[in-house]
Amino acid sequence: MPAAALPSGVGPSGILVLIGMMGVGKTTVGRRLAQIYGIPFVDADAEIERAAGCTISEIFARHGENAFRAGERRVIKRLLQGPPCILATGGGAWMDAETRRLVRMHACSLWLRAPVHVLLKRVHGRGGRPLLAQGDPKEIMSRLVGLRYPVYAEADVIIDCGDETVEQGVRRVQEALSELQKPLTVPVTLASHHYDVLIGPDLISRAGAWLAPHLPQKRVVVVTDNIVAELHLPRLLNSFAETGIQADVIAVAGGEESKSLTCYAQVMTQLLELGIERGTTIVALGGGVVGDLAGFVAATALRGLPFVQIPTTLLSQVDSSVGGKTGINAPSGKNLIGAFHQPIAVLADSSALATLPRRQRIAGYAEIVKSGMISDPELFAWCEAHGADVLDGDPAALVDAVQKACVFKAAVVAADEREQAKQGGRALLNLGHTFAHALEAELGYDGRLLHGEAVSIGLHLATALSVRLGLAPVADLERVDAHLRKLAMPAGFDWFETPFSAAALLAHMSHDKKMRDGLISFVLLRGIGQAFTSRNVPMDTVRELLLDEGCSG
Ligand code: NAD
């Protein structure tokens, strides 16, 4: 029979590394997989013995465990740079952090997991092992399992082995490999910091494995809101328990009210009462509200704690979780208290979006359209072709959309990390926001208008203002409006039953925190994909626009 192709999920190196306890069947399963995929089977222990010219027991006896691990690391590194193979490793190899790092970089890891009684039966059936002869085998095996399983759980794939035949086990491995999809990665590279945004389905269930390599200490505090906690916290906590990460939880009420000084004080007090240390990582599980609040807590507790974002709304996956802006609202305005504090990792789990109400998806989608309008006409055209799929919650379209928007945001943030550019830069991300903030402020942030809905209207108004100023072609305004309206998104004041007062909106604009020297900053367009910032917009023109759009005086 011709060999089957190695599933693409294994990655470009074509190397599959088998990990697991003695006796679990790495050699038997590995040899059979190698046969199926037509690639060599390599036993790392045999390679080490060959390289050293003596047995592993002799290496241990003569040079000790440290020297053995160093040799093992060297041999595995060499094999990982070689041709495709199925590579079985000794039970202790994966416990070495550097070996894990190398495998993660170059190969796909698969853990054959079995309970202690199955391992003991299998080892016994093969004449026992010297390690187990040093005392009570069950006690020794249980102790090793307790130490190793939380670290084995960082493998890319986990296969549970029980009493099935080798063929059944091999088939399960084949199935798992064919379904394996490594998450998409968007790198965010800043002057003094680098992190990745991982995007893909069901990342929360394996969050412990994804995050463990980045955590300074296997201890986290999850900050979430009550709604998200009910939907997604259990699988996050399971994944932390599986990988031996100690996790405490602080839950706040869902909604913008939680970005308050009062809530900040409560979360900070609870956090400090937990006796956290400098290496404890704050994990934000939720939408932009939780991300902004938890991020600001992380920025300020003990003068800065490591921080991870697990965004669960479309808005937070495409916008707020990337870029390091954190903050809370002051009685006098939104986001007025804050800090730049970059995360060490972002996990954007597309499966989490399945529970998100459509209205929230629309709000997040407006930020994607915004990204295209700023400087990525291809992204805008992609939105025109696939926007309906995104709003319908199509999983592939959501992953695509999140990736495209994160690539865009990562580039903007990398070029202007702290919004200091004189022209363009991060300030462009405020396209539509001068109008959006005025609308939100006028409605008192009471939930009638979501932030993304306000941005959607703001996109229309910013484009209309650009046309009125003779900067953008009217055809682009028609294109923006056609897209928003086709998807039943808010695109003007006709979204509301009662008219807004132009004077009230202008007053809110003049209190915007982006004001400088008394001038309001607007992001304008020369066309779709050509945004720029301006402080020279005559307020009379803005007033005329608002009146023409249906506002009262
Ligand atoms: P949100 O965090 O309030 O979430 C919206 C609602 O959806 C909440 O009730 C929440 O409990 C619920 N929810 C979250 N995930 C869910 C899921 N998977 N399934 C079901 N329900 C879920 O709002 P948001 O729109 O994500 O974020 C808005 C906030 O983000 C605003 O405060 C805004 O200022 C901020 N923001 C920050 C940045 C930044 O760069 N830091 C950028 C844009 C917006």
Side-chain angles (χ1 to χ4, degrees):
M1 214 179 10
L6 197 63
S8 59
V10 170
S13 73
I15 299 176
L16 179 68
V17 176
L18 301 184
I19 62 175
M21 291 293 287
M22 61 183 110
V24 76
K26 284 170 289 183
T27 307
T28 326
V29 171
R31 282 191 197 290
R32 186 71 192 100
L33 287 171
Q35 218 174 29
I36 291 169
Y37 295 124
I39 52 177
F41 170 77
V42 181
D43 183 303
D45 282 355
E47 289 289 316
I48 295 163
E49 290 184 337
R50 206 166 52 207
C54 59
T55 66
I56 288 176
S57 319
E58 285 165 347
I59 307 176
F60 262 82
R62 276 187 220 152
H63 308 288
E65 178 165 0
N66 284 349
F68 169 73
R69 293 290 166 218
E72 180 181 56
R73 205 182 299 135
R74 275 196 303 276
V75 167
I76 291 178
K77 183 174 183 181
R78 173 171 56 76
L79 294 168
L80 289 173
Q81 283 157 359
C85 69
I86 306 290
L87 174 60
T89 56
W94 187 254
M95 300 304 289
D96 183 89
E98 177 60 11
T99 300
R100 288 200 297 281
R101 192 185 69 80
L102 290 168
V103 174
R104 233 174 253 125
M105 263 170 66
H106 299 288
C108 173
S109 53
L110 185 142
W111 172 24
L112 296 174
R113 174 167 66 183
V116 170
H117 72 273
V118 170
L119 293 171
L120 286 171
K121 203 161 78 183
R122 291 190 183 181
V123 173
H124 185 68
R126 288 177 215 148
R129 299 284 168 117
L131 190 61
L132 298 183
Q134 292 169 7
D136 173 15
K138 188 171 174 197
E139 191 271 320
I140 296 173
M141 191 68 97
S142 302
R143 188 169 44 79
L144 282 174
V145 160
L147 283 175
R148 291 181 179 177
Y149 275 25
V151 187
Y152 286 172
E154 292 177 29
D156 293 321
V157 185
I158 303 175
I159 298 290
D160 279 307
C161 309
D163 288 328
E164 75 277 284
T165 63
V166 172
E167 278 312 313
Q168 284 167 333
V170 166
R171 214 168 306 129
R172 296 238 316 277
V173 171
Q174 282 185 277
E175 280 162 15
L177 290 180
S178 66
E179 284 165 17
L180 178 65
Q181 266 182 333
K182 285 218 175 178
L184 300 174
T185 301
V186 176
V188 184
T189 305
L190 307 170
S192 60
H193 185 57
H194 173 97
Y195 57 97
D196 286 332
V197 183
L198 300 188
I199 304 158
D202 216 19
L203 296 187
I204 292 178
S205 305
R206 304 287 338 271
W210 295 118
L211 296 179
H214 304 285
L215 302 180
Q217 184 184 56
K218 277 197 150 184
R219 178 162 184 211
V220 300
V221 177
V222 181
V223 179
T224 185
D225 74 33
N226 291 329
I227 298 167
V228 179
E230 198 159 307
L231 295 166
H232 302 291
L233 184 62
R235 59 195 179 108
L236 180 65
L237 293 183
N238 278 342
S239 86
F240 285 150
E242 188 178 58
T243 39
I245 296 169
Q246 183 199 331
D248 290 291
V249 177
I250 300 176
V252 301
E256 190 69 29
E257 298 74 43
S258 289
K259 268 176 63 174
S260 65
L261 275 166
T262 315
C263 188
Y264 166 76
Q266 283 163 354
V267 173
M268 184 63 89
T269 307
Q270 281 184 60
L271 182 70
L272 297 176
E273 279 170 3
L274 289 170
I276 48 149
E277 297 174 18
R278 280 252 165 93
T280 306
T281 297
I282 304 297
V283 176
L285 174 74
V289 163
V290 163
D292 279 9
L293 170 71
F296 187 55
V297 168
T300 46
L302 307 187
R303 294 205 178 84
L305 296 177
F307 172 48
V308 165
Q309 290 264 25
I310 307 187
T312 60
T313 60
L314 186 56
L315 181 135
S316 55
Q317 293 195 356
V318 300
D319 191 357
S320 60
S321 64
V322 179
K325 274 194 182 179
T326 71
I328 54 171
N329 303 327
S332 50
K334 215 170 119 71
N335 294 330
L336 291 183
I337 306 163
F340 284 98
H341 191 57
Q342 298 289 346
I344 55 173
V346 180
L347 299 187
D349 180 344
S350 52
S351 314
L353 303 178
T355 55
L356 197 65
R358 186 182 174 88
R359 192 176 164 205
Q360 293 286 353
R361 277 206 290 273
I362 290 180
Y365 178 73
E367 301 280 2
I368 307 176
V369 176
K370 177 198 81 177
S371 304
M373 288 173 65
I374 291 171
S375 65
D376 192 345
E378 275 176 30
L379 176 54
F380 187 81
W382 184 90
C383 287
E384 289 177 310
H386 302 282
D389 299 333
V390 174
L391 296 191
D392 287 344
D394 176 74
L398 282 168
V399 168
D400 257 13
V402 173
Q403 187 210 19
K404 286 176 193 302
C406 286
V407 167
F408 167 83
K409 179 125 190 216
V412 174
V413 170
D416 182 21
E417 184 180 343
R418 289 183 165 247
E419 201 165 331
Q420 286 166 331
K422 292 234 162 32
Q423 274 299 317
R426 260 187 111 136
L428 294 178
L429 297 172
N430 291 319
L431 177 65
H433 281 58
T434 306
F435 292 108
H437 287 155
L439 287 167
E440 288 179 279
E442 180 61 9
L443 290 173
Y445 307 100
D446 61 359
R448 269 181 290 169
L449 187 67
L450 300 177
H451 174 69
E453 290 173 334
V455 168
S456 182
I457 297 173
L459 293 178
H460 158 77
L461 291 173
T463 317
L465 180 61
S466 304
V467 170
R468 183 170 284 256
L469 291 166
L471 296 162
V474 73
D476 280 11
L477 174 61
E478 286 165 5
R479 205 173 146 198
V480 169
D481 285 355
H483 181 56
L484 299 178
R485 291 196 184 270
K486 186 177 146 206
L487 297 179
M489 292 172 67
F493 290 101
D494 55 352
W495 185 257
F496 306 99
E497 277 163 14
T498 43
F500 278 76
S501 141
L505 292 180
L506 289 168
H508 288 299
M509 285 182 210
S510 65
H511 288 121
D512 198 285
K513 71 174 184 293
K514 303 283 184 311
M515 286 275 290
R516 209 183 302 146
D517 302 329
L519 296 172
I520 299 177
S521 174
F522 282 93
V523 183
L524 300 171
L525 297 172
R526 291 199 175 86
I528 289 169
Q530 299 172 65
F532 65 101
T533 50
S534 168
R535 290 187 185 272
N536 299 321
V537 178
M539 289 318 282
D540 282 347
T541 312
V542 182
R543 188 188 320 277
E544 283 162 19
L545 172 75
L546 293 175
L547 294 174
D548 283 356
E549 291 279 333
C551 287
S552 60

